[in-house]
Every structure is written in structure tokens, then in C-alpha cells.
């Protein structure tokens, strides 16, 4: 006597096998990279982005600038006395960045506090502890919205990174 469950089990096994075969036909060949335009580019280790689909960045854009760009809002974002600019620039109209380098956590904390008070900033979304040189925050005054971040370095110095957006 044949069990009524046997045809269902055979049908389920057949469907599972058919599904596995159809799904495997969708996968790229093991020697191909999905999205690459030619096998030659793959052989050279290039991805589609490397194949000319990404704009070239000029070398001067990758070099650090130790001076504030023209138009930087120094009146709304006053730098502390003795601050050392590690890098600065303009990302677009009304958008700037400045990175300061402090010699240690104490100097970083002092400069962090000076920028907030001298710029008349309201501190929001504060994370971490500026005294230990591990903090981030959003700052806002009547002219600027700023994201601030402290980045401790291996040599004991601390980078203070600020992204400014004009309101």
C-alpha cells in the first residue's frame, strides 16, 4: 500500500532541486566580478570605478592646506590663540572644514571649550569626554551649524575636526 505522503515528498524534493538549479544560474561565474566591464580589467585588478567611471582627483586637492580659505567665517567661528591648523578648506558655497592639531589632550580640551564659548555655540548631541580627547558634538550659533570631532593620534597629539555649514 502506498502512503499518501510519498507523492508530496517526491514533489517537494523535485521542486527544491529545480529551485537550486534556477538560483545557481543567476550567480556570476567564479572568475568574474559582478559589474566589471571586461575580463581584462578583472585581470588587472580594476573595478568598474577604476575603469574610468570615477572622476580623477587632482593631486593638489589631496594636499593639506595650513591656511584658512578665503571666505572662511572667522568672525562666527573664532580660532583660539595659538591654534595650529592641520588642514582647512572649502567644500562648496557656505561649507568649510578646519582641522586643528593640539599637542595633547589638555590643549585639545582647552581649545574645544574656547571654540564653543568664543563662538557663542550651543552644544547638542554631545558624545564622549573632551577632557580625555574623545568627544563629538553638534554646535550651533546664529550663523553656523558645526559638527565637531576629537581624534586622538598615536603620538599623543589630538586632531580637532570641524565641519561648518552656513545657515
Amino acid at each position: 500500500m502506498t502512503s499518501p505522503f510519498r507523492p508530496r515528498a517526491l514533489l517537494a524534493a523535485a521542486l527544491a532541486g529545480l529551485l537550486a538549479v534556477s538560483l545557481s544560474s543567476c550567480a556570476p561565474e567564479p572568475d568574474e566580478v559582478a559589474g566589471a566591464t571586461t575580463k581584462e580589467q578583472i585581470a588587472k585588478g580594476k573595478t568598474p570605478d577604476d575603469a574610468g567611471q570615477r572622476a580623477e582627483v587632482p593631486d593638489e586637492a589631496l594636499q593639506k592646506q595650513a591656511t584658512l580659505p578665503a571666505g572662511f567665517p572667522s568672525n562666527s567661528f573664532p580660532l583660539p590663540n595659538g591654534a595650529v591648523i592641520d588642514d582647512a578648506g572649502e567644500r562648496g558655497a557656505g561649507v568649510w572644514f578646519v582641522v586643528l592639531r593640539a599637542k595633547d589632550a589638555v590643549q585639545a580640551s582647552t581649545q574645544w571649550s574656547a571654540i564653543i564659548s568664543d563662538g557663542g555655540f550651543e552644544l547638542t548631541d554631545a558624545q564622549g569626554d573632551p577632557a580625555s580627547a574623545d568627544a563629538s558634538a553638534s554646535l550651533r550659533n546664529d550663523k553656523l551649524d558645526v559638527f565637531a570631532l576629537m581624534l586622538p593620534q598615536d603620538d599623543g597629539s589630538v586632531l580637532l575636526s570641524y565641519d561648518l555649514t552656513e545657515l
Side-chain angles (χ1 to χ4, degrees):
M1 179 169 172
T2 306
S3 168
F5 298 108
R6 184 166 175 94
R8 286 186 190 163
L10 289 174
L11 181 60
L15 287 175
L18 183 60
L19 181 62
V21 169
S22 65
L23 287 177
S24 67
S25 67
C26 296
E29 294 297 320
D31 64 339
E32 292 181 1
V33 175
T37 55
T38 66
K39 287 190 178 193
E40 290 80 25
Q41 290 172 335
I42 296 168
K44 292 178 183 175
K46 294 188 175 188
T47 64
D49 284 342
D50 295 332
Q53 296 178 8
R54 184 182 330 160
E56 288 294 320
V57 177
D59 288 338
E60 59 271 6
L62 299 175
Q63 296 174 359
K64 290 185 176 185
Q65 302 298 317
T67 58
L68 295 175
F72 186 87
S74 296
N75 292 336
S76 302
F77 192 85
L79 298 182
N81 289 334
V84 175
I85 298 172
D86 187 72
D87 196 11
E90 184 173 12
R91 299 191 197 281
V95 181
W96 304 270
F97 70 93
V98 63
V99 179
L100 305 178
R101 181 175 292 276
K103 66 180 176 183
D104 56 27
V106 172
Q107 186 181 47
S109 180
T110 300
Q111 290 181 353
W112 178 272
S113 297
I115 287 173
I116 293 169
S117 63
D118 294 350
F121 286 103
E122 178 184 328
L123 182 77
T124 60
D125 298 327
Q127 303 288 320
D129 180 17
S132 65
D134 182 23
S136 66
S138 294
L139 312 174
R140 189 178 187 115
N141 64 17
D142 59 340
K143 303 227 189 244
L144 295 171
D145 190 20
V146 178
F147 177 73
L149 179 65
M150 291 178 124
L151 302 161
Q153 303 298 294
D154 291 338
D155 65 359
S157 66
V158 179
L159 297 178
L160 292 98
S161 175
Y162 296 93
D163 286 304
L164 298 77
T165 304
E166 192 172 50
L167 295 177

